[in-house]
Amino acid sequence: MTQTALLGRARPQTPRDPFIDLLRVFGMALVVLQHWSIPVLGFDGARLSTGNALATPGVWVVTWISQVMPLVFFAGGAANAISFRRARGNSPAWLGSRLRRLAWPLLPLAAVWIPLPHVLGALGVPEQPLETGSRLTGQLLWFLAVYLIAVTATPYLLRLHARYGWRVPAVLGLGAVATDVLRFGTGAEMLGYANIVFVWLAVHQLGFFYVDGRLRRTGLLALAGYGAAALLVGFGPYPGSMIGLPGAEMSNMAPPTLAMLAVSAGQIGLAVLLRPLIVRLPTERLMGWAGPRIMTVYLWHMPALFAVTGVVVVLFGVETPQPFSGGWLAGWPLWLGLLSVVMAWLLRGFARFEEPPAVPARELGWAAALGAAVLVGGGLLTLTAAGFAPGIAPVAGTAALVGGLLLTRAGRRPSAAVEPPAGPAEPPAAERLPVSSSA
């Protein structure tokens, strides 16, 4: 079987799909709305207390929709399949292109947040709220580290998809089952982190089937997914919430569980079932505005929250009312309005860094591409673990990102007498994954 056949037997030149764009923007909008709405904040003069409005009894059911990581990985799988097939099998060049898009917008974030805690501390900002904001800004980057695994594995996953079809997500799903059985059977919680690979790659793989037009019976998929999740929550060891909640003994997200995989199937089935209605929505202007800004929104929406919290909660002492009370509902629009004003200012300053600078055409090899992936992944893991709290860790993490970016520029220039390989031009906005996360 030829390489071209292995990479995609259907529609190798797949056109852009507005449905994937809409899923990305919907996912990002829901992430931002959730992150801005759920904090329950208070300040006692020294410490900032943080709670979660979704911990209100019975509200956890909302997370079966508002936890949009499944849709993000599904859209990412589709976008990666489209983009890689356009690269005509030039895997190293394609990977280098994707790594630049992931890593480049992080540099201005690091340039601001590495010195910012020192500056604000010198100006008298209390230590604990400042450390909370510094760490959380980095911790939300965990998604990029996980997504990087899927991006790096995409060429291999597409070959498996072409050869084995539905057996690939089935095996990944069985891996998730085995992981949870071992985790809960032995009490070794660390075993659960294997599901970072099994759960999210299974969801990512479903995006390939969508691109090939092979994701059918989506109503049945939605019913089976949500039904299995209900059974797992009702009779298994899994909590009902699909996000981590304060004081909970375990989370379905960290690490992901079989219940999260079931909800993922439900969400994807429901989304594809509703596709005919979704693509008819008048969203052209929204998509034109959001496409070039979506990574910036992801990276900077939490700093916007910290800025408003610093003024409203820490400086003026205004605490969050009881979630879903009259005061909370009345103040919610004002709170979102303040956050939107700050976010608009941040977009004006940082959206220009969404697009990485063009690089000269080079014949990037696998060694350089994989080395770049290791460095970018290591930088992301470092920033996820340590955040931007004062210390050497954020500097080291940022240095790794820079090293990875430099490696994507490695390789020799193509000979003038030989046409350069059909590497991926930087993909259009429709193919970019809006790197998003959830609480």
Side-chain angles (χ1 to χ4, degrees):
M1 185 177 289
T2 66
Q3 185 182 48
T4 301
L6 284 173
L7 295 182
R9 56 178 84 137
R11 294 181 292 180
Q13 296 294 323
T14 309
R16 59 187 290 172
D17 186 341
F19 176 64
I20 298 301
D21 271 347
L22 287 166
L23 282 187
R24 296 181 311 116
V25 172
F26 168 76
M28 178 55 61
L30 208 51
V31 165
V32 172
L33 180 64
Q34 185 166 261
H35 283 170
W36 283 359
S37 301
I38 64 176
V40 179
L41 305 168
F43 185 63
D44 63 5
R47 297 186 62 83
L48 179 71
S49 61
T50 56
N52 192 320
L54 294 179
T56 304
V59 179
W60 58 264
V61 71
V62 173
T63 66
W64 290 32
I65 296 295
S66 68
Q67 172 53 273
V68 291
M69 282 290 288
L71 295 182
V72 172
F73 270 103
F74 171 73
N80 285 333
I82 293 170
S83 178
F84 186 77
R85 287 169 179 176
R86 284 179 173 169
R88 302 174 191 173
N90 190 355
S91 304
W94 176 83
L95 179 57
S97 171
R98 293 311 242 194
L99 290 173
R100 283 193 294 274
R101 288 203 171 278
L102 282 174
W104 177 256
L106 292 167
L107 299 187
L109 185 74
V112 170
W113 272 95
I114 288 176
L116 187 62
H118 300 277
V119 173
L120 294 179
L123 293 174
V125 175
E127 180 180 356
Q128 188 268 346
L130 185 56
E131 183 176 356
T132 298
S134 301
R135 289 190 179 278
L136 285 176
T137 297
Q139 286 174 9
L140 287 177
L141 302 181
W142 71 269
F143 164 72
L144 294 181
V146 177
Y147 182 64
L148 181 61
I149 297 172
V151 170
T152 305
T154 288
Y156 180 62
L157 293 173
L158 278 169
R159 288 178 173 88
L160 291 177
H161 170 72
R163 286 180 173 173
Y164 301 111
W166 283 103
R167 282 173 283 183
V168 180
V171 168
L172 291 168
L174 289 174
V177 173
T179 295
D180 276 8
V181 168
L182 289 172
R183 174 189 175 185
F184 296 121
T186 65
E189 288 296 312
M190 292 301 296
L191 292 176
Y193 284 92
N195 270 347
I196 288 176
V197 173
F198 291 128
V199 170
W200 296 129
L201 288 190
V203 176
H204 183 266
Q205 201 80 4
L206 292 181
F208 300 167
F209 288 93
Y210 169 79
V211 171
D212 287 346
R214 297 167 62 191
L215 194 60
R216 304 186 183 96
R217 299 182 180 179
T218 51
L220 180 60
L221 179 63
L223 288 173
Y226 279 124
L231 291 174
L232 289 167
V233 168
F235 300 99
Y238 306 98
S241 176
M242 293 299 137
I243 68 170
L245 294 176
E249 293 184 2
M250 67 166 291
S251 166
N252 282 311
M253 272 296 294
T257 64
L258 187 59
M260 176 58 69
L261 181 58
V263 167
S264 300
Q267 282 192 2
I268 292 167
L270 181 61
V272 180
L273 182 67
L274 296 176
R275 184 187 185 280
L277 298 175
I278 293 172
V279 297
R280 288 202 294 267
L281 296 173
T283 57
E284 290 81 3
R285 293 183 63 181
L286 171 63
M287 302 307 299
W289 180 89
R293 297 170 174 84
I294 202 158
M295 179 72 155
T296 309
V297 171
Y298 164 69
L299 293 177
W300 291 94
H301 76 280
M302 290 302 284
L305 175 63
F306 301 143
V308 174
T309 298
V311 173
V312 175
V313 181
V314 175
L315 183 60
F316 292 118
V318 179
E319 297 188 354
T320 305
Q322 178 68 28
F324 305 105
S325 65
W328 187 89
L329 293 172
W332 187 49
L334 177 60
W335 177 254
L336 293 182
L338 290 172
L339 288 163
S340 298
V341 169
V342 175
M343 188 73 248
W345 180 76
L346 291 171
L347 282 172
R348 290 186 63 182
F350 296 106
R352 71 191 70 180
F353 299 103
E354 185 112 359
E355 188 82 12
V359 298
R362 292 185 182 275
E363 295 179 355
L364 188 67
W366 261 121
L370 291 177
V374 169
L375 284 172
V376 172
L380 286 168
L381 286 173
T382 301
L383 294 176
T384 298
F388 291 99
I392 191 63
V395 177
T398 303
L401 293 176
V402 173
L405 283 168
L406 291 175
L407 269 182
T408 66
R409 301 170 64 95
R412 60 185 177 86
R413 292 181 180 273
S415 170
V418 179
E419 184 181 351
E426 297 293 350
E431 295 178 9
R432 300 177 202 155
L433 179 74
V435 262
S436 69
S437 179
S438 184

Coordinates of all heavy atoms in Angstrom, one line a residue, residues 160-195:
L160 N -2.6 4.2 11.0 CA -3.4 3.2 11.7 C -4.9 3.3 11.3 O -5.6 2.3 11.2 CB -3.3 3.4 13.2 CG -1.9 3.0 13.9 CD1 -1.9 3.3 15.4 CD2 -1.6 1.6 13.6
H161 N -5.4 4.5 11.2 CA -6.8 4.8 10.8 C -7.0 4.2 9.4 O -8.1 3.5 9.2 CB -7.0 6.3 10.8 CG -8.3 6.7 10.2 ND1 -9.5 6.4 10.8 CD2 -8.6 7.3 9.1 CE1 -10.5 6.9 10.1 NE2 -10.0 7.4 9.0
A162 N -6.1 4.4 8.5 CA -6.3 3.9 7.2 C -6.3 2.3 7.1 O -7.0 1.7 6.3 CB -5.2 4.4 6.2
R163 N -5.5 1.7 8.0 CA -5.4 0.3 7.9 C -6.4 -0.5 8.8 O -6.9 -1.5 8.4 CB -4.0 -0.1 8.5 CG -2.9 0.1 7.5 CD -1.5 -0.3 8.0 NE -0.5 -0.2 7.0 CZ 0.8 -0.4 7.3 NH1 1.2 -0.6 8.5 NH2 1.7 -0.3 6.3
Y164 N -6.7 0.1 9.9 CA -7.5 -0.6 10.9 C -8.9 0.0 11.2 O -9.7 -0.6 11.9 CB -6.8 -0.8 12.2 CG -5.5 -1.5 12.0 CD1 -4.3 -0.9 12.1 CD2 -5.5 -2.9 11.6 CE1 -3.1 -1.6 11.9 CE2 -4.3 -3.6 11.4 CZ -3.1 -2.9 11.6 OH -1.9 -3.6 11.4
G165 N -9.1 1.2 10.8 CA -10.4 1.9 11.0 C -10.9 1.9 12.4 O -10.2 2.4 13.3
W166 N -12.1 1.4 12.7 CA -12.7 1.5 14.0 C -12.0 0.7 15.1 O -12.2 0.9 16.3 CB -14.2 1.0 13.9 CG -15.1 2.1 13.3 CD1 -15.6 2.1 12.0 CD2 -15.5 3.3 13.9 NE1 -16.3 3.2 11.8 CE2 -16.3 4.0 13.0 CE3 -15.3 3.8 15.2 CZ2 -16.9 5.2 13.3 CZ3 -15.9 5.0 15.5 CH2 -16.7 5.7 14.5
R167 N -11.1 -0.2 14.6 CA -10.4 -1.0 15.7 C -9.4 -0.1 16.5 O -9.1 -0.4 17.6 CB -9.6 -2.1 15.0 CG -10.5 -3.3 14.6 CD -9.7 -4.3 13.8 NE -9.6 -3.9 12.4 CZ -9.0 -4.6 11.5 NH1 -8.5 -5.8 11.8 NH2 -8.9 -4.2 10.2
V168 N -9.0 1.0 15.9 CA -8.1 1.9 16.6 C -8.8 2.6 17.8 O -8.3 2.4 19.0 CB -7.5 3.0 15.7 CG1 -6.5 3.9 16.4 CG2 -6.8 2.3 14.5
P169 N -9.9 3.3 17.7 CA -10.5 3.9 18.9 C -11.1 2.8 19.8 O -11.1 3.0 21.0 CB -11.7 4.7 18.3 CG -11.9 4.2 16.9 CD -10.6 3.8 16.4
A170 N -11.4 1.6 19.2 CA -11.9 0.5 20.1 C -10.8 0.1 21.0 O -11.0 -0.1 22.2 CB -12.4 -0.6 19.3
V171 N -9.6 -0.1 20.5 CA -8.4 -0.5 21.3 C -8.1 0.6 22.3 O -7.8 0.3 23.5 CB -7.2 -0.8 20.4 CG1 -5.9 -1.0 21.3 CG2 -7.5 -2.1 19.6
L172 N -8.1 1.8 21.9 CA -7.9 2.9 22.9 C -8.9 2.9 24.0 O -8.6 3.2 25.2 CB -7.9 4.3 22.1 CG -6.7 4.5 21.2 CD1 -6.9 5.7 20.3 CD2 -5.4 4.7 22.0
G173 N -10.2 2.7 23.6 CA -11.2 2.6 24.6 C -11.0 1.5 25.6 O -11.2 1.6 26.8
L174 N -10.6 0.3 25.1 CA -10.3 -0.8 26.0 C -9.1 -0.5 26.9 O -9.1 -0.9 28.0 CB -10.0 -2.0 25.1 CG -11.2 -2.7 24.4 CD1 -10.7 -3.8 23.5 CD2 -12.2 -3.2 25.4
G175 N -8.2 0.3 26.4 CA -7.1 0.8 27.2 C -7.6 1.6 28.4 O -7.1 1.5 29.5
A176 N -8.6 2.5 28.1 CA -9.2 3.3 29.1 C -9.9 2.5 30.2 O -9.8 2.7 31.4 CB -10.1 4.3 28.5
V177 N -10.6 1.4 29.7 CA -11.2 0.5 30.7 C -10.2 -0.2 31.6 O -10.3 -0.2 32.8 CB -12.0 -0.6 29.9 CG1 -12.6 -1.6 30.9 CG2 -13.2 0.1 29.1
A178 N -9.1 -0.7 30.9 CA -8.1 -1.4 31.7 C -7.4 -0.5 32.7 O -7.1 -0.9 33.8 CB -7.1 -2.0 30.8
T179 N -7.2 0.8 32.3 CA -6.6 1.7 33.2 C -7.4 2.0 34.4 O -6.9 2.0 35.5 CB -6.3 3.0 32.4 OG1 -5.4 2.8 31.3 CG2 -5.8 4.1 33.3
D180 N -8.7 2.2 34.2 CA -9.5 2.5 35.4 C -9.7 1.2 36.3 O -9.7 1.4 37.5 CB -10.9 3.0 34.9 CG -10.9 4.5 34.7 OD1 -9.8 5.1 34.7 OD2 -12.0 5.0 34.4
V181 N -9.7 0.1 35.7 CA -9.8 -1.2 36.5 C -8.6 -1.3 37.4 O -8.7 -1.6 38.6 CB -10.0 -2.4 35.6 CG1 -9.8 -3.7 36.4 CG2 -11.4 -2.4 34.9
L182 N -7.4 -1.1 36.8 CA -6.2 -1.2 37.5 C -6.1 -0.1 38.6 O -5.7 -0.3 39.7 CB -5.0 -1.1 36.6 CG -4.8 -2.4 35.7 CD1 -3.7 -2.1 34.7 CD2 -4.4 -3.6 36.6
R183 N -6.5 1.1 38.2 CA -6.4 2.3 39.1 C -7.2 2.0 40.3 O -6.8 2.2 41.5 CB -6.8 3.5 38.4 CG -6.9 4.8 39.3 CD -7.5 5.9 38.5 NE -7.7 7.1 39.4 CZ -8.4 8.2 39.0 NH1 -8.9 8.3 37.7 NH2 -8.5 9.2 39.8
F184 N -8.5 1.7 40.1 CA -9.4 1.6 41.3 C -9.2 0.2 42.0 O -9.5 0.1 43.2 CB -10.9 1.7 40.8 CG -11.2 3.1 40.3 CD1 -11.6 3.3 39.0 CD2 -11.0 4.2 41.1 CE1 -11.9 4.5 38.5 CE2 -11.2 5.5 40.6 CZ -11.7 5.6 39.3
G185 N -8.7 -0.8 41.2 CA -8.5 -2.1 41.9 C -7.3 -2.1 42.8 O -7.3 -2.8 43.8
T186 N -6.3 -1.3 42.4 CA -5.0 -1.3 43.2 C -4.9 -0.1 44.1 O -4.1 -0.2 45.0 CB -3.8 -1.4 42.2 OG1 -3.8 -0.2 41.5 CG2 -3.9 -2.6 41.3
G187 N -5.7 0.9 43.8 CA -5.5 2.1 44.6 C -4.3 3.0 44.2 O -4.0 4.0 44.8
A188 N -3.7 2.6 43.1 CA -2.5 3.3 42.6 C -3.0 4.4 41.7 O -3.2 4.2 40.5 CB -1.5 2.4 41.9
E189 N -3.2 5.6 42.2 CA -3.8 6.7 41.5 C -3.0 7.1 40.2 O -3.5 7.5 39.2 CB -4.0 7.9 42.4 CG -5.1 7.7 43.4 CD -6.5 7.6 42.7 OE1 -6.8 8.4 41.8 OE2 -7.2 6.7 43.1
M190 N -1.7 7.0 40.3 CA -0.8 7.4 39.2 C -1.1 6.6 38.0 O -0.8 7.1 36.9 CB 0.6 7.3 39.6 CG 1.1 8.3 40.7 SD 0.8 10.0 40.2 CE 2.0 10.1 38.8
L191 N -1.6 5.4 38.1 CA -1.9 4.6 36.9 C -3.0 5.3 36.1 O -3.0 5.1 34.8 CB -2.4 3.2 37.3 CG -1.4 2.3 38.0 CD1 -2.1 1.0 38.4 CD2 -0.2 1.9 37.0
G192 N -3.8 6.1 36.7 CA -4.9 6.7 35.9 C -4.4 7.7 34.9 O -5.1 8.0 33.9
Y193 N -3.2 8.2 35.0 CA -2.7 9.1 34.0 C -2.4 8.5 32.7 O -2.2 9.3 31.7 CB -1.4 9.8 34.6 CG -1.8 10.9 35.6 CD1 -1.9 10.5 37.0 CD2 -2.2 12.2 35.2 CE1 -2.3 11.5 37.9 CE2 -2.6 13.1 36.2 CZ -2.6 12.7 37.5 OH -3.0 13.6 38.5
A194 N -2.4 7.2 32.6 CA -2.3 6.6 31.2 C -3.5 7.0 30.4 O -3.4 7.0 29.1 CB -2.2 5.0 31.4
N195 N -4.6 7.3 31.0 CA -5.8 7.7 30.3 C -5.7 9.1 29.6 O -6.5 9.4 28.7 CB -7.0 7.7 31.2 CG -7.7 6.4 31.2 OD1 -7.4 5.5 30.3 ND2 -8.6 6.2 32.1

